[in-house]
Every structure is written in C-alpha cells, then in structure tokens.
Amino acid sequence: MFKYRILSLAMCFFLLFSLMGCNSNTEKAYLYFELPEIPSTVDPQTAKTDAELIIVKNIYEGLMRKDADRKTVLGAAESISQDGLTYTFTLRDGITWDNDTAVTADDFVFGIRRALDPDTKSPFASRLFSVKNAKSVNSGKTSPENLGVIAIDDKTVKFTLEYEDEKFLETLTTSVAMPCNEKFFNDSKGKYGLFRENIISNGSYRLTKWNKESFGIRLYKNENYKGGFEARNAAVFLTCNPETPVTEKLSDGDIDIAFIETAERDNMEAKGFKTESAETTCWIITFSDDLSLNMRTALLKLVGADVYKNSLYSGYSPADSLFPNILNVNADSSGITPYNLEEGKSLYASEIKSYKDKKFPSDIVLKYYNDGYIKDTVTDIVGHWQSQLSAFINIEAVDSPDVLQSQLKEQTQSIAIFPVSDDGDHLEENNEN
C-alpha cells in the first residue's frame, strides 16, 4: 500500500490573495486548512501523524530547515563547520521562544536527548542513530547524557557522529530534532505539547488557541521570530470536521486547503481546483524464515488490493510496486506477488500437512506499526487468511517501525507490516504553509 497524499488547494485561496490589492500582500491573509485527522499532540519529539507534523513544522524551527526549493539550508543556526565526524553549529543572535525567553544551545541538546530517551518513545528516533551512542541510549543501555551532542556555550551546539551520515543535516530539519526547553518541559508535568498552555514556539507561527471539544487550532504569525522564513499568512485556522465532506467545504469556500480521496482528484481538478500529490512511503509485509518458503508464498498470494482497498484510510492507495513512485517513476509491479486465490489455497493445503496437528502455528503473531490508520487494513488481510485458509493469526501493534525491522533482522519476529519511506523526502515532514 502506498501512503498517497493529495493536497487540494482551493480557487478561493487565489482569490483571497487577489483581493488584497496589486501588491498581493499575503501577510494579512487568513488561511483555512482542514486536517485529515485530529492531532493528539504537537510535541515534536513524539508527533507522528500528518496533522501533528504539519503543525510542528510550522511552530518550530530546527538548526537546519528546507527552503522553497526543498534544499537543506541553515535554520536557527547562522553557521556550521565540519571536522570529520564533528559538526559545530552557531545559533543566530536574538533567537527567542514565543514567550520571549531565549532559545539556547541547551534547548537543542535537550530536544535530541529526549528524542533518543527510550521513555519518550519517539517514532522517528532512528533518524538520529548516527549520533555517537544514540543506539545505546535508545535501547536503554546508556544515559542520554552520554550522547554525542553537547552545548559548548549558549550559542554553540556540537555533534559527534558514530559514522558518516549523508542525511544528517537533513535529519536536523525534521520534527525529531526540534529544540525543547528543559525548564518549560519539566514545568508542564507530563502535559508538554498536549494543551495550549504547555506549548511554546520558536518557528514562523505560534499556536494561540486549541479547542479540543469542537476541534480547532489557530496559528498566528510569531512576532518574535527573527529568522529567514517569515510566515506567509497572518494566521492559519486548522479544523477537522469529518461530518461534512471536505470536497463540499472546498466547493463552498469554507476551507482553502484539505486532503482529498484519490478517487476525487479528477473531479476536483475539473472544477478548477489545483491538486498536488506525492507517493513517498510504501507499506511492506515481511516474513522471517520461521515460516517455510511455500507457506510464505501461499499467504502472500492472498494479499491483494481487492482484499484491503475498502479499508484504506484517506490518502492511501494500493501499491503498484514495492517502491514508492518518488523512487520508481515507472512502477512495474516490482516485488508484488500477484493475488491468486486458487494457487494460494492449493499451496497452503499442501504445506499445512507438514505442520503439527496440520494447523497454522498458534504462537505466530503478526506485528504492525501503529500509525493510527493501518489497523483496519491489517485486520482485513488477517481476516482473509482466516476465512479462506483457516489460518488463525493474532495481531499486535507496536509504536515504532524500527522495532519491527530490528526484530526481523534478528529472526525474532515472524510476520510484520511496517512503512518504508524515501529518507530523502519525507512528505509528512514537509507540509509548510
């Protein structure tokens, strides 16, 4: 399955700009954005859904960031020097949080330590594994204080890497590497990023209101931000109301931007809407050799689009290839086992005879990365195996895809479903207004 994101930009968005006069001064424009789901947190070290990451990307700024051409450039840092595996960043003068307290090197160090602390359960912690001692810290074998990141002084952050990592600077643009003020975090007493009063920003926008009953979030231009990426709009109003179709709200002019279903793209474009899409993530089902080759093949032959397509969450579509389209422009079904019910059943019937009691092993568990959307799809696949093969398999969710990948490498996990992304272009890390 591809994680397929379609961003629909309404015509009224352009009209809004044109009404501002010949200078098209967008700084006074308000933007209404319908999120695909209600965010649970805007803690950058734990945020993982599209809605959460959209907000995080706009209210925080890392040492590095992406520019309009998607190039990795300096963010909160004004300079960087490299000496082998050592990177030293100097912060810009006058950087502050939106509560007017200074942003210091310690904030970036504490943010990195939090991300790799196993108690944080950061979903993207593995992006920082090139930092010295990062894996040991994340596995609980050593303290976060032993990480290869230190504050030389208030304006200087020094990283020491374990090995060369060509993606390191890009990683510093992503949510997991955002700063976190230790005092503010501790004063939040477990509520950091969960409520308006437990959020401070150092990015282009600041979060001013978060209504959790009738969901709504307001982002206003952060007047304390003095960086090179000023907010494009005076305010962004974020909503999520699934009771009314987003296509209807777009057509009525109630919202300016929304995620739409893949099937609705042509219809919305015909109405004059602009759409943008990208496929950067593919969900993989993997088996260890705990199961025989014939058994693995039999199960895979019963995994097809018709089995799970009706349970795909908005923005997901059946895969054409093992590789996301951003890596494989001419998808050719590479790595996809064609669905074949009869062949699968025949192969399974033959293979199950060699198993104890001629039954599928009861201790086999399918584990999947719980991103909040994929569970129904996993349930459909397992249910199809049960109904067609009488193969009863329990499922279990995990909080990080890295856990599954390591378990598969160590042959301690039999079946797993998890996402694989193009590390160079995480769509969910690049939703900026």
Side-chain angles (χ1 to χ4, degrees):
M1 294 143 280
F2 277 131
K3 190 177 185 180
Y4 187 53
R5 292 287 180 252
I6 295 183
L7 182 66
S8 178
L9 190 60
M11 288 289 288
C12 61
F13 184 50
F14 297 111
L15 293 174
L16 182 62
F17 286 167
S18 65
L19 290 173
M20 299 309 298
C22 59
N23 291 327
S24 297
N25 185 358
T26 63
E27 291 185 359
K28 295 183 180 180
Y30 288 177
L31 184 67
Y32 291 83
F33 195 150
E34 181 81 357
L35 295 175
E37 69 277 321
I38 295 176
S40 299
T41 181
V42 292
D43 174 352
Q45 274 72 50
T46 61
K48 65 179 180 179
T49 69
D50 288 317
E52 293 165 357
L53 293 168
I54 285 170
I55 299 170
V56 164
K57 195 65 176 180
N58 283 283
I59 66 175
Y60 293 96
E61 181 174 69
L63 293 167
M64 307 295 292
R65 65 180 300 160
K66 292 291 186 70
D67 65 11
D69 297 321
R70 304 183 64 72
K71 294 180 180 179
T72 300
V73 298
L74 293 170
E78 68 174 10
S79 67
I80 174 178
S81 63
Q82 181 182 0
D83 181 12
L85 296 178
T86 300
Y87 291 77
T88 303
F89 298 85
T90 301
L91 302 185
R92 297 192 318 266
D93 289 330
I95 303 177
T96 64
W97 295 99
D98 66 350
N99 64 0
D100 215 26
T101 59
V103 175
T104 69
D106 284 327
D107 295 331
F108 287 95
V109 172
F110 183 66
I112 298 294
R113 288 178 175 176
R114 273 200 68 225
L116 286 163
D117 188 325
D119 290 338
T120 303
K121 298 181 179 180
S122 176
F124 300 120
S126 63
R127 294 181 183 176
L128 295 165
F129 278 0
S130 61
V131 177
K132 187 175 181 180
N133 293 328
K135 288 187 178 180
S136 294
V137 170
N138 194 240
S139 64
K141 295 179 181 179
T142 188
S143 167
E145 285 71 25
N146 293 323
L147 273 172
V149 55
I150 59 173
I152 302 297
D153 53 42
D154 283 350
K155 289 189 59 180
T156 311
V157 184
K158 179 181 177 181
F159 286 86
T160 302
L161 303 191
E162 197 89 48
Y163 51 84
E164 290 186 7
D165 179 5
E166 63 179 11
K167 300 295 184 182
F168 175 64
L169 293 181
E170 183 174 344
T171 293
L172 297 183
T173 73
T174 66
S175 59
V176 73
M178 295 300 108
C180 180
N181 182 276
E182 184 172 6
K183 182 180 185 305
F184 188 89
F185 174 80
N186 290 334
D187 288 345
S188 297
K189 297 179 179 179
K191 297 179 180 179
Y192 181 69
L194 300 179
F195 300 93
R196 167 65 195 96
E197 59 270 24
N198 305 119
I199 299 166
I200 52 174
S201 311
N202 76 314
S204 303
Y205 289 93
R206 59 189 177 91
L207 198 155
T208 62
K209 184 178 181 180
W210 188 348
N211 187 328
K212 292 204 171 188
E213 293 182 2
S214 56
F215 175 74
I217 282 181
R218 294 183 181 181
L219 305 182
Y220 277 87
K221 184 177 179 179
N222 183 3
E223 300 298 338
N224 285 343
Y225 177 75
K226 301 297 190 295
F229 294 82
E230 292 288 337
R232 297 180 186 177
N233 301 89
V236 180
F237 299 147
L238 303 163
T239 58
C240 183
N241 180 10
E243 295 181 3
T244 304
V246 292
T247 51
E248 181 179 323
K249 284 182 278 191
L250 284 165
S251 298
D252 291 343
D254 296 331
I255 56 175
D256 301 315
I257 298 179
F259 290 89
I260 63 172
E261 297 280 358
T262 305
E264 296 168 338
R265 181 180 185 181
D266 291 344
N267 181 47
M268 296 305 289
E269 288 183 341
K271 292 182 178 180
F273 288 80
K274 178 184 176 182
T275 65
E276 295 180 5
S277 63
E279 294 180 3
T280 59
T281 304
C282 188
W283 284 78
I284 306 294
I285 182 167
T286 309
F287 301 83
S288 75
D289 57 13
D290 285 353
L291 297 171
S292 66
L293 176 60
N294 284 341
M295 180 59 73
R296 301 197 300 266
T297 303
L299 294 174
L300 279 175
K301 284 185 177 293
L302 268 72
V303 178
D306 287 341
V307 174
Y308 60 75
K309 66 181 181 181
N310 291 331
S311 61
L312 290 177
Y313 184 80
S314 174
Y316 289 70
S317 65
D320 296 317
S321 167
L322 178 63
F323 309 102
N325 277 0
I326 198 167
L327 299 177
N328 184 37
V329 178
N330 299 313
D332 58 1
S333 298
S334 299
I336 302 295
T337 300
Y339 181 87
N340 192 311
L341 178 60
E342 294 307 317
E343 286 186 10
K345 292 176 71 172
S346 176
L347 191 57
Y348 180 86
S350 175
E351 191 66 15
I352 200 66
K353 294 177 182 178
S354 63
Y355 281 72
K356 183 179 180 180
D357 298 327
K358 297 182 181 181
K359 292 182 179 180
F360 194 84
S362 60
D363 58 343
I364 297 292
V365 176
L366 184 157
K367 293 188 177 181
Y368 67 96
Y369 168 54
N370 182 21
D371 73 332
Y373 318 124
I374 205 69
K375 180 179 180 180
D376 289 345
T377 303
V378 174
T379 301
D380 278 356
I381 292 172
V382 172
H384 194 60
W385 287 339
Q386 178 178 325
S387 64
Q388 298 298 325
L389 304 176
S390 296
F392 295 84
I393 302 174
N394 292 319
I395 64 174
E396 180 181 325
V398 300
D399 293 327
S400 169
D402 301 317
V403 172
L404 297 178
Q405 294 180 38
S406 62
Q407 288 180 348
L408 286 165
K409 289 179 181 178
E410 297 166 3
Q411 296 290 296
T412 58
Q413 178 55 45
S414 300
I415 313 175
I417 295 180
F418 55 90
V420 174
S421 300
D422 165 33
D423 289 334
D425 196 5
H426 288 279
L427 177 66
E428 61 268 41
E429 290 287 356
N430 290 286
N431 286 296
E432 296 189 33
N433 295 305

